[in-house]
Amino acid sequence: MARTATHRLEKIALVLGFLALSAGVLVAHTSPARAYELSIYRGTPPLFWVGIAVALLTGIAVSVSSPDWYRSLALALGGMCVLSIVSLPIIRGYHFYGAGDSLTHLGWARDIVTGSMAPYDLLYPGTHTVGVVISELTGLPLRRALLVMVSAFVLVFLLFVPLTARVIAVDDRAVTFAALAGFLLLPINAISVFAMPHPTSQAIMFLPLVLYLLAKYVTATDGSRLPLFGSSAGILLALASIAIVFVHPQQAANAILLFGGVVVVQFVYRLFRNGHTIARHRTLYGQTVILALAFLAWTPLHERSGGTVSALITSLLENPAAATDTANAAASLSQLGGSIQLLFLKLFLVGVLFSLFAGLFMLGGLFDRVRGTNATAFSKYVAVGMVPLTVLFGVFFVASLGQFHFRILGFMMVPVTILGGIALARGVGALETRISSDGAIGAFAAGLFALLLVLSLLTVFHSPYMYQASGHVSESQMTGYETALDNRGDALFTGLRSSGERYSDGILGYEASREGGWRGQAIYGGDLNATEENFTANRLTTAFEEPRYLPVTDSAKQREIAVFGGLRFPRDGFRTLDSHPGVSRVQSGGGFDLYHIE
């Protein structure tokens, strides 16, 4: 009778949760962005966040407390909430999201559609090709198709983190906690891994599928064997391994290192402990060779592939600037009222906590203190695979090369998410066997996840919370740049902090924007990195030897004034643009102004 009453409450809670989610999404969809939004969190109606909060809390509470199929529905509810947050640029009708690299990737996708570039000419054509296919199948504009592509990769991440945990731990609670850990989206660090069109980010979101197939492949005990691949999981793993090379070869290289950890452990156990479960696992030798061959066959065909290695060596030998970069960033944050320490806590506190959980789990596995043969094996596999990744992270960090170390960190957070979730589940189970708490420990775990979700999901998108402006690209900005490019004279374009090439990449396509120039002429002539003292119209007229066009968007103004407090470009400097001889506003409207500087 008591269980029936509990089921009834769970049903009611789940119904209310799905209704709250639906209402929140509907409210957000019917409140599209009318102009540039400095923060997608603040720009989205509060009722959306209320609905998401109710639905997420319901999903967490039911999934932690219910042992049956209600748990699966609750996890589906929570996953849909997280996916809805990641998909806010689509739900709220953003013209595009991603004002930096993403615009260039949009340009490459345009080049593929127009035929000015073949997909195989790109080092990482996977995401662009997926975006083109979505656009062709659905009729969506290419810019929106790329945003759908981002959500699709996040969905892969949310689905296969718990599925991988099920293969490793074969434990309902471990699967639940791994799924909840997946909701935290720990690989997204907003420095080098983003929820926007960005191939290395999508490759990291794709990794759980590869790990799931790896786990299914090595643990398979069926008698049927296919030549070379061993099983159907082996075929799928080979295809997924090749796919990650096309999504982004750098993450494929990281996957090779992780695969290598599995190979080393299997080789040692087959050599010295032939009776152990690991020795009976299907070897990953052939799959690692397939991944390595795919990487070596594809990567050298592209000029950009050697750039990272040569730049890394140069940086290590000639210009190790990590200390200088950190000091400059700390000084700037201090002027904005923040600090490196506070920013670190905002971005990495949750990740550090789960790294601790996963580290303890791997340490227990190395000393055979983990329950379950597959769990013990995979704790060893990941522990050894993490060693070269950690070394590589340290090398990139010392070299301070393009923040690549944060890409490696994002990759490492995928196995940390899976093992950290399993470790937390095991810890809660161990406490419950020792302490009679009547569900208090499970309730505490649910409350902990709710708190961590708030801290983690606040950093999915850039916002003033992390001293950054949103990556929102409004329609008026794109239209303004397009009109300016169509009607430009002989003067070159400059820009605030960046020249604006990203916008022409997205509008014209990369080839027209960068390689040949628009209509055979160069477009950009450097960027404007002023300081508070020299950003005035009077100073601008003497800053260049030749005339320049200066686009000033609403997003640039809000970024410089509201986020950076006029540190380089103060409000008074913008005001002088309309009142000084030699600077003429030649285009205006919709949050986009174009000035001609004589």
Side-chain angles (χ1 to χ4, degrees), residues 61 123 135 152 166 171 179 190 198 221 241 247 251 257 262 273 297 299 312 335 378 421 423 446 484 594:
L123 177 61
S135 178
R166 175 169 290 282
D171 176 352
H198 188 243
T221 57
S241 299
V247 177
Q251 302 307 329
L257 296 178
V262 180
R273 297 184 62 181
T299 307
L312 173 62
Q335 289 178 283
F378 276 89
L594 182 67

Side-chain angles (χ1 to χ4, degrees), residues 38 336 463-464 467-469 557-566:
L38 187 63
L336 297 177
S463 71
Y467 312 104
Q468 290 287 338
K557 285 183 179 179
Q558 291 194 46
R559 177 190 68 211
E560 299 301 334
I561 297 171
V563 180
F564 299 146

Side-chain angles (χ1 to χ4, degrees), residues 212-240 281-284 286-287 290:
Y212 168 74
L213 293 172
L214 184 155
K216 291 287 286 184
Y217 175 76
V218 300
T219 59
T221 57
D222 56 273
S224 60
R225 289 178 176 270
L226 297 175
L228 182 62
F229 300 107
S231 67
S232 56
I235 296 175
L236 293 175
L237 176 58
L239 292 176
H281 274 176
R282 184 173 287 149
T283 62
L284 202 67
Q287 292 287 343
I290 290 172

